[in-house]
Amino acid sequence: MQKFSETTRRYTRVLPDIAVHCSILQASTGRFRHFLIDQPSVIHVKRGWKRILSKETDVSAGPGDAIFLPQGLECTVINGAEENGAYHSDAYIFSPALISLYAEAAVHSTCEAIRIEPDAGFLDALERSRLAIADESATTIGIHRHILGELVVRLQALGINLTPDPRENLCLRIRGLVREEPGREWPASTISAALGMSEQTLRRKLALLGTSLTDIIADVRMTTALGLLQATELPINRVALDVGYESASKFAARFRARFGLSPRDIRVAAEQDERCGTEFERSRAAAV
């Protein structure tokens, strides 16, 4: 059975309204098609490899490399396990509030995935960010914000701008609502009221985009579940409940239909031994 070292484990840590850090472990190589990036992220690959395919780009990263993923990118994400069956990466997910403080609004948004070869300064900034997100001291929140802001500035120095496309993206707005509580019921009346439009207008706009509320809600639930499986040690039946499925078997069937892997394929064989004492706080974003 595959084991990881004490320093290699799944967890999700949240610095509210600033950033999220996920330590992602995946036991099997997985190809996740039609994946929509909900929030701008930097993925730092530790073991295995990662590949991002979109209409415009084909970007790959091995151990030590990083990939920037812009908000709104629809792509295929491939996480490749190394020979002993492990993919490990750190994901840093940036909040809109942090981006608004540190990103240059006048610069055109980056719309495609970009491979980064981190230099020593960038690696130091990642490590400081990791420690800042893990520090729960409320008295240093301003310092932590500046530490994470350095990453935004460093990305800009590489020609990467995190500000979202100013054009309205209705799907992303709906996904943001559902991500807050993926396990609850989301009637059209609730979502349309939150968006300030009638149900008829909402359905019409989504039809023009070739999608529906049912499709969006189902996909948010599945991508949230993927993140929980990759970056927490929550039991699979608990993940199913958290994303709105009372039946673990129905959840597993829907997950396999969406991603081509079972929930157990994401987890290492030693999950039963490592489940106790887990650190977890909902990330409100898929880890990928």
Side-chain angles (χ1 to χ4, degrees):
M1 294 199 320
Q2 184 179 348
K3 292 278 190 177
F4 289 100
S5 70
E6 289 297 319
T7 57
T8 305
R9 57 195 181 96
R10 298 185 188 90
Y11 59 80
T12 295
R13 294 170 178 160
V14 180
L15 200 55
D17 298 320
I18 297 177
V20 177
H21 170 227
C22 300
S23 176
I24 299 168
L25 289 180
Q26 188 173 307
S28 307
T29 295
R31 176 186 289 260
F32 309 114
R33 295 180 174 85
H34 306 298
F35 202 101
L36 186 64
I37 305 301
D38 288 312
Q39 293 174 264
S41 312
V42 169
I43 313 296
H44 185 211
V45 179
K46 299 295 192 67
R47 298 170 64 179
W49 51 272
K50 191 177 195 74
R51 186 178 180 189
I52 304 295
L53 299 167
S54 70
K55 292 180 180 179
E56 303 295 333
T57 59
D58 181 346
V59 178
S60 297
D65 296 331
I67 294 179
F68 170 73
L69 299 175
Q71 183 183 40
L73 175 67
E74 185 175 346
C75 58
T76 293
V77 177
I78 307 173
N79 292 337
E82 58 184 19
E83 288 186 4
N84 70 351
Y87 166 83
H88 177 213
S89 67
D90 283 332
Y92 298 86
I93 303 163
F94 304 96
S95 75
L98 183 75
I99 293 168
S100 67
L101 284 174
Y102 292 92
E104 297 180 15
V107 179
H108 289 297
S109 302
T110 299
C111 299
E112 291 293 337
I114 295 179
R115 178 175 175 267
I116 301 168
E117 295 183 14
D119 59 16
F122 197 93
L123 291 174
D124 286 345
L126 287 176
E127 178 63 10
R128 287 193 295 273
S129 296
R130 183 186 69 82
L131 294 174
I133 295 172
D135 186 354
E136 297 179 352
S137 172
T139 60
T140 55
I141 192 70
I143 296 173
H144 293 162
R145 186 180 295 108
H146 286 306
I147 290 172
L148 270 298
E150 179 189 348
L151 268 183
V152 176
V153 174
R154 284 185 175 275
L155 288 167
Q156 288 182 156
L158 295 173
I160 298 170
N161 186 36
L162 282 70
T163 53
D165 190 318
R167 294 172 295 183
E168 179 185 54
N169 190 316
L170 182 59
C171 291
L172 285 177
R173 291 178 66 192
I174 296 171
R175 291 175 69 91
L177 286 172
V178 178
R179 278 203 321 272
E180 295 289 331
E181 295 182 81
R184 64 168 282 188
E185 293 294 324
W186 284 99
S189 58
T190 298
I191 293 177
S192 61
L195 297 176
M197 64 181 70
S198 69
E199 290 183 44
Q200 183 179 11
T201 298
L202 175 61
R203 295 185 190 280
R204 177 176 56 80
K205 287 187 174 184
L206 290 177
L208 290 172
L209 294 172
T211 188
S212 67
L213 274 180
T214 299
D215 290 342
I216 293 173
I217 293 168
D219 194 63
V220 171
R221 286 174 172 166
M222 286 298 100
T223 55
T224 300
L226 175 62
L228 294 176
L229 291 166
Q230 291 174 323
T232 81
E233 293 293 352
L234 288 175
I236 292 174
N237 61 352
R238 167 67 187 281
V239 172
L241 286 172
D242 279 2
V243 298
Y245 289 83
E246 293 186 1
S247 167
S249 61
K250 288 183 179 179
F251 163 69
R254 180 62 64 88
F255 189 90
R256 182 183 287 278
R258 173 64 177 88
F259 294 122
L261 295 172
S262 74
R264 291 189 181 278
D265 290 332
I266 303 297
R267 294 289 176 86
V268 295
E271 69 175 279
Q272 295 292 339
D273 297 333
E274 298 174 355
R275 188 173 292 163
C276 297
T278 296
E279 279 188 75
F280 168 67
E281 186 175 350
R282 182 172 304 285
S283 69
R284 299 177 181 173
V288 308

